[in-house]
Amino acid sequence: MCRLLGVVSTEPITVEGAVGAHVLKDFVALTKVHGDGWGVAAGDGDHPRVHVSADSAIDDPDFAAIMRDWRSNGTLVHLRWATSGLAVQPENSHPFLADGLAMAHNGSIKPTDALDALLEPDLAGTLGGTTDSERYFAVIRAYRRRAPDLASAVRAAVARLRTPYPDASLNALILGEGQLIAVHANAHSRLSVEDVAEITAADLPTEHLEDYFGLRWARTGSGALVIGSTGFGDLDWQPLPPESVTAISLRDLTMTTLPVMAD
């Protein structure tokens, strides 16, 4: 599980410049439990650059430097809370990068048998870590080979996974091809009793307990459009439609939303 933050702007901007230092501070405070690694992807169109770490963002000077210095039209940030049994190592840190796309996931897809069955052999051979999230990304990449555009590929992949995984959170951000794609598809996902206890002990906002898997969007004073998980920031957040895929253009911030189960 994790926290997601995406920024889209018509002019290159840093994450700190887009959301403000106080919102970024709220986001980093979530490392109280989401401290099992972090990663950033940024780009102005195709082939985003990615930096990942297995360290906690709050203790890693590289995180602060990237938030302050990397300027881009599109950025996604991931704070990891490792699923039980999955190693804390750079290979398992999001976002994953392949085929000119970067992807970060918030959820758990178990068991992975159905995921593995959907992997095309050549894509299975490219996996660098052991996470269900990287497998999910490989399924999206497979659908991209046949779909007319990235949003359609993501929607088709999410719809295909919804049948074998009716309760899984498939929330994700995908950056590439001149857009940021936000998947808000968390179905009936709920935190476990152990997860709730850890959040409560860490004194994180109650919003984590009420709507942990929610994704929302806001426009900032800088003119940027921001996608964020629940539990941080005082922006004028609006919920994304449930079970949806939203494409945001890096060129003009146009938002196009598709229902996951569209015909």
Side-chain angles (χ1 to χ4, degrees):
M1 293 176 293
C2 70
R3 298 289 80 184
L4 298 171
L5 172 60
V7 173
V8 182
S9 174
T10 56
E11 298 293 333
I13 195 170
T14 67
V15 173
E16 184 174 304
V19 303
H22 66 295
V23 172
L24 184 59
K25 182 179 179 180
D26 279 354
F27 182 67
V28 176
L30 304 182
T31 56
K32 291 176 182 177
V33 294
H34 303 84
D36 297 324
W38 62 274
V40 178
D44 303 329
D46 297 334
H47 305 290
R49 57 174 171 166
V50 168
H51 183 100
V52 298
S53 170
D55 297 326
S56 174
I58 201 168
D59 297 323
D60 192 334
D62 286 343
F63 181 84
I66 289 173
M67 295 298 97
R68 184 184 63 245
D69 297 337
W70 278 23
R71 303 179 68 86
S72 177
N73 291 74
T75 306
L76 70 86
V77 188
H78 179 273
L79 301 180
R80 186 179 182 218
W81 183 6
T83 300
S84 178
L86 294 178
V88 176
Q89 58 189 31
E91 293 82 2
N92 286 343
S93 293
H94 312 207
F96 307 103
L97 178 66
D99 302 336
L101 304 173
M103 182 263 208
H105 169 225
N106 172 27
S108 179
I109 309 174
K110 292 182 177 181
T112 58
D113 302 25
L115 271 173
D116 291 334
L118 291 173
L119 298 184
E120 297 183 2
D122 62 321
L123 295 181
T126 67
L127 301 181
T130 59
T131 66
D132 51 317
S133 302
E134 191 178 11
R135 290 174 169 86
Y136 173 22
F137 184 34
V139 174
I140 291 174
R141 291 162 58 202
Y143 273 86
R144 183 65 189 98
R145 291 175 168 178
R146 301 182 290 275
D149 56 70
L150 180 58
S152 297
V154 173
R155 189 212 64 79
V158 174
R160 178 64 182 84
L161 289 173
R162 187 47 84 213
T163 298
Y165 299 106
D167 298 327
S169 173
L170 302 173
N171 287 355
L173 294 178
I174 301 101
L175 179 65
E177 300 187 19
Q179 57 198 311
L180 179 71
I181 306 286
V183 178
H184 188 213
N186 50 62
H188 306 290
S189 301
R190 296 291 183 272
L191 292 170
S192 69
V193 173
E194 293 78 10
D195 293 336
V196 169
E198 190 168 350
I199 285 175
T200 303
D203 194 28
L204 290 181
T206 55
E207 194 177 17
H208 278 73
L209 304 178
E210 298 164 352
D211 189 20
Y212 181 84
F213 292 100
L215 274 183
R216 64 270 177 90
W217 69 277
R219 294 188 184 272
T220 72
S222 67
L225 193 153
V226 179
I227 303 291
S229 299
T230 54
F232 75 93
D234 59 356
L235 302 176
D236 184 20
W237 295 112
Q238 304 296 321
L240 285 171
E243 297 298 301
S244 68
V245 172
T246 299
I248 307 164
S249 168
L250 272 59
R251 180 175 59 84
D252 59 11
L253 308 189
T254 300
M255 299 176 68
T256 304
T257 299
L258 303 171
V260 166
M261 302 311 291
D263 294 333

